[in-house]
């Protein structure tokens, strides 16, 4: 059997948001021992592992999971600048567990690894890379992306639409990814439930990180960082092709004139204004005027035109194929995961509502002339 891994004690604390003192008091050991176990200075014994299992609702196999090099790779967030460190640690820990669940389920089910374009093949241009992804899934320039979740999944990227179910995106964190995993079976996640337009851009933005930031060596700490700007450019260009923006947006377009674009392409007016500014289609002064109008009409809290929310499918599908008929409790023991996290992320074992079609299968439907797939079920 694989030896117990004391570093997992720190993972457990991050998942639960508890201190070393709380762990010590709950299990009847001293805080210094907890600290030394986490640092690898003392061995995690079977007795303590069993006490932790009983106290915190994890199987003992949780502490047999090995720490991988990729676990220390930087994550990327869509978040507010003032996000708390404790919340960030909890969300990173949950994403790490969810990514492991998806990678294991995807591999066992035989699903494809992620197929993402290489930045160097497209001059590292985020808009051109977004265009390449749109072409890969069969979208013409003026087509909307009917379902961003399904687009990501058909690229081989796992999606969780609520890492912390029952919460809403009123907090500091919106979405998360780990670009280091982009060569294999990466997972992007929305932290909590949020409006459809926010969810679509956030997920597209995280896919942008997977494509553009595979060599990331340190966390992106600022929303103004070049990596964040590139990811937003990719995300907005994925949702609305440059040619559509040039055709419909100009300095004279009124605030309400942006609403038809939002309705068709599922992207917020605020994001459209930002995109138009970055493309040079409107001036900075015009952008400020439009944002002032948005604020005066109450659009900063609730824009007109509802955008439908989208559901995950690939994780659920792979999970059922990898563990047919298994209970979540049994899978938690098999994979060394916290029981309640599986209950949060995968539903009861019932027939899935649909099937994620591999891109290779969709491309075969284009025919010999390579024409675009116009069936919107493609994405």
């Amino acid at each position: 059997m694989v030896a117990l891994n004391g570093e997992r004690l720190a993972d457990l604390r991050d998942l639960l948001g508890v201190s070393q003192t709380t762990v010590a008091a709950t299990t009847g050991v001293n805080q210094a021992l907890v600290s030394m176990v986490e640092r690898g200075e003392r061995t995690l014994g079977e007795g303590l592992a069993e006490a932790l299992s009983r106290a915190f609702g994890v199987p003992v196999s949780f502490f047999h999971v090995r720490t991988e090099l990729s676990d220390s790779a930087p994550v990327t967030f869509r978040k507010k600048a003032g996000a708390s460190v404790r919340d960030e640690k909890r969300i990173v820990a949950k994403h790490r567990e969810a990514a492991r669940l998806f990678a294991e389920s995807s591999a066992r089910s035989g699903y494809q690894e992620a197929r993402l374009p290489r930045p160097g093949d497209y001059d590292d241009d985020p808009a051109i890379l977004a265009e390449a992804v749109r072409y890969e899934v069969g979208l013409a320039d003026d087509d909307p992306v009917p379902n961003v979740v399904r687009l990501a999944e058909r690229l081989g990227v796992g999606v969780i639409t609520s890492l912390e179910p029952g919460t809403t995106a009123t907090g500091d964190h919106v979405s998360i990814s780990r670009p280091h995993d982009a060569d294999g079976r990466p997972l992007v996640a929305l932290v909590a439930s949020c409006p459809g337009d926010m969810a679509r851009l956030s997920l597209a933005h995280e896919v942008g990180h997977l494509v553009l930031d595979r060599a990331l060596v340190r966390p992106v700490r600022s929303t103004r960082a070049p990596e964040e700007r590139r990811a937003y450019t990719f995300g907005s260009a994925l949702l609305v092709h440059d040619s559509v923006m040039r055709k419909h947006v100009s300095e004279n377009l009124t605030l309400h004139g942006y609403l038809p674009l939002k309705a068709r392409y599922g992207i917020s007016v605020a994001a459209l204004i930002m995109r138009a500014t970055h493309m040079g289609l409107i001036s900075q002064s015009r952008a400020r005027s439009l944002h002032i109008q948005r604020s005066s009409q109450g659009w900063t809290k609730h824009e007109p035109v509802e955008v439908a929310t989208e559901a995950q499918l690939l994780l659920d599908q792979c999970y059922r194929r990898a563990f047919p008929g298994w209970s979540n409790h049994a899978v938690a023991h098999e994979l060394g995961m916290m029981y309640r996290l599986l209950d949060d992320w995968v539903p009861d074992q019932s027939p899935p509502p649909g099937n994620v079609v591999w891109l290779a299968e969709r491309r075969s439907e284009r025919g010999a002339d390579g024409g675009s797939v116009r069936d919107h079920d493609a994405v």
Side-chain angles (χ1 to χ4, degrees):
M1 179 179 288
V2 178
L4 292 167
N5 178 11
E7 292 181 16
R8 289 288 279 169
L9 180 48
D11 293 341
L12 179 63
R13 288 199 307 104
D14 287 342
L15 287 168
L16 297 173
V18 299
S19 66
Q20 291 181 346
T21 303
T22 297
V23 169
T26 305
T27 55
V29 300
N30 61 61
Q31 184 268 332
L33 174 63
V34 173
S35 178
M36 287 188 287
V37 167
E38 289 185 5
R39 296 197 305 268
E41 297 173 2
R42 289 284 297 272
T43 301
L44 174 61
E46 290 284 352
L48 179 54
E50 290 172 1
L52 291 163
S53 172
R54 290 191 298 271
F56 296 108
V58 295
V60 172
S61 58
F62 179 92
F63 300 103
H64 287 290
V65 174
R66 306 314 305 161
T67 303
E68 303 293 340
L69 183 62
S70 60
D71 291 340
S72 60
V75 297
T76 53
F77 277 111
R78 184 180 182 189
K79 64 177 183 177
K80 297 178 183 176
S84 77
V85 173
R86 172 171 287 191
D87 284 348
E88 183 167 318
K89 284 184 175 182
R90 184 188 70 252
I91 292 164
V92 169
K94 286 188 176 182
H95 179 268
R96 185 165 53 243
E97 296 294 294
R100 187 162 61 85
L101 173 64
F102 172 67
E104 187 69 28
S105 299
S106 175
R108 290 192 186 201
S109 70
Y111 196 76
Q112 67 188 23
E113 291 193 354
R115 296 184 179 182
L116 302 172
R118 292 284 177 179
D121 295 338
Y122 299 90
D123 298 324
D124 295 301
D125 187 310
I128 298 176
L129 282 158
E131 184 176 12
V133 170
R134 288 176 60 87
Y135 174 78
E136 179 74 1
V137 298
L139 291 173
D141 291 354
D142 60 348
D143 283 338
V145 177
N147 191 308
V148 175
V149 172
R150 211 65 67 243
L151 180 149
E153 291 175 334
R154 291 202 169 103
L155 292 170
V157 176
V159 178
I160 286 183
T161 52
S162 187
L163 199 63
E164 299 191 317
T167 60
T168 55
T170 55
D172 293 328
H173 297 86
V174 180
S175 58
I176 180 173
S177 62
R178 191 185 293 274
H180 181 276
D181 296 338
D183 290 335
R185 302 177 189 275
L187 178 126
V188 299
L190 296 171
V191 174
S193 300
C194 60
D197 54 349
M198 178 187 290
R200 284 168 59 86
L201 181 56
S202 297
L203 291 175
H205 154 267
E206 297 301 346
V207 172
H209 279 303
L210 295 183
V211 171
L212 290 155
D213 295 322
R214 301 171 217 213
L216 194 67
V217 295
R218 60 179 61 86
V220 180
R221 294 298 182 190
S222 170
T223 56
R224 298 179 180 273
E227 295 86 354
E228 280 297 287
R229 292 181 181 274
R230 286 193 323 227
Y232 276 114
T233 297
F234 175 95
S236 58
L238 185 65
L239 296 180
V240 189
H241 193 273
D242 279 4
S243 62
V244 173
M245 293 293 294
R246 294 191 184 98
K247 179 178 179 180
H248 294 285
V249 178
S250 69
E251 187 81 357
N252 298 323
L253 186 65
T254 66
L255 180 64
H256 283 78
Y258 285 84
L259 293 177
L261 285 173
K262 177 181 180 179
R264 177 164 173 76
Y265 292 98
I267 180 172
S268 70
V269 172
L272 286 167
I273 294 171
M274 182 180 298
R275 176 88 187 285
T277 308
H278 290 165
M279 290 181 66
L281 300 176
I282 63 174
S283 64
Q284 293 284 352
S285 60
R286 180 57 176 163
R288 282 194 296 272
S289 172
L290 290 169
H291 284 307
I292 291 170
Q293 292 177 54
R294 285 184 66 253
S295 178
S296 66
Q297 296 191 37
W299 289 16
T300 52
K301 292 185 177 180
H302 183 76
E303 283 189 1
V305 182
E306 294 293 331
V307 175
T309 57
E310 301 170 358
Q312 69 192 53
L313 177 58
L314 180 57
L315 172 60
D316 309 58
Q317 176 184 315
C318 289
Y319 184 79
R320 288 187 181 88
R321 290 182 178 177
F323 306 103
W326 290 42
S327 68
N328 281 356
H329 192 272
V331 177
H333 276 273
E334 172 75 6
L335 300 184
M337 298 193 68
M338 187 178 289
Y339 304 121
R340 72 186 193 211
L341 292 182
L342 282 178
D343 292 336
D344 281 345
W345 298 332
V346 287
D348 294 332
Q349 296 258 8
S350 55
N355 191 50
V356 176
V357 181
W358 290 29
L359 280 174
E361 297 172 10
R362 295 303 302 187
R363 282 194 292 268
S364 69
E365 298 176 16
R366 292 180 184 171
D369 63 353
S372 296
V373 175
R374 290 304 186 118
D375 176 4
H376 280 178
D377 287 341
V379 288

